[in-house]
């Protein structure tokens, strides 16, 4: 199973972050299946890759450390594909979503730590 993680600190209030992340995932062609104030789950829309390569994204918003100007969030991007190659489909989607978060115009990225 391929799995990639990254943590971010962005300058946006916690109240605005969740709808902005939902919109970002939809713009990245993910189907948002479930969300609460501090958790979002989405999956890649079927059609372009086999089912084992379909990517799921989980976003965890850290409400306990949020301030009025900064919020921490973590993403986990995974699929059922064995990561036999370094540049696999899950890794490519991870890099795409990570760049979308880092360059989003709705917030200022303060810190990004890939795991």
């Amino acid at each position: 199973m391929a799995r990639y993680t990254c943590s971010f600190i962005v300058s946006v209030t916690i109240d605005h972050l969740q709808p902005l992340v939902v919109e970002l995932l939809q713009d990245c062609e993910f189907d948002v299946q479930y969300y609460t104030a501090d958790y979002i789950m989405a999956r890649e829309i079927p059609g372009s890759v086999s089912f084992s390569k379909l990517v799921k994204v989980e976003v965890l918003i850290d409400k306990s450390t949020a301030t009025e100007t900064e919020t921490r969030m973590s993403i986990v991007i995974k699929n059922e594909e064995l990561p036999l190659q370094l540049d696999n489909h899950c890794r490519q989607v991870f890099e795409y979503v990570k760049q979308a978060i880092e360059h989003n115009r709705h917030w200022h990225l303060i810190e990004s730590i890939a795991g």
Side-chain angles (χ1 to χ4, degrees):
M1 176 196 247
R3 178 184 175 101
Y4 302 94
T5 62
C6 193
S7 293
F8 305 92
I9 298 176
V10 293
S11 65
V12 66
T13 63
I14 195 161
D15 296 333
H16 292 101
L17 183 59
Q18 185 258 13
L20 291 173
V21 173
V22 167
E23 182 181 327
L24 178 135
L25 291 172
Q26 290 170 336
D27 290 346
C28 289
E29 298 186 22
F30 280 88
D31 177 25
V32 177
Q33 297 188 316
Y34 178 80
Y35 60 90
T36 62
D38 59 354
Y39 177 79
I40 303 166
M41 195 213 29
R43 71 178 177 116
E44 194 172 14
I45 298 171
S48 61
V49 295
S50 65
F51 279 102
S52 65
K53 290 185 177 184
L54 286 176
V55 172
K56 290 184 181 178
V57 177
E58 293 182 65
V59 180
L60 299 111
I61 300 169
D62 189 355
K63 294 169 67 172
S64 65
T65 61
T67 66
E68 294 205 13
T69 58
E70 294 180 3
T71 307
R72 179 183 299 271
M73 69 175 166
S74 299
I75 61 169
V76 177
I77 296 184
K78 59 188 175 181
N79 68 3
E80 298 299 320
E81 173 186 27
L82 289 174
L84 300 175
Q85 299 174 356
L86 184 60
D87 190 30
N88 58 62
H89 178 69
C90 191
R91 177 69 179 212
Q92 292 169 356
V93 172
F94 168 75
E95 291 297 335
Y96 177 67
V97 172
K98 183 175 172 271
Q99 287 180 7
I101 292 170
E102 290 175 345
H103 301 299
N104 192 294
R105 64 183 176 87
H106 295 293
W107 57 65
H108 173 71
L109 178 70
I110 297 169
E111 183 178 24
S112 172
I113 303 170

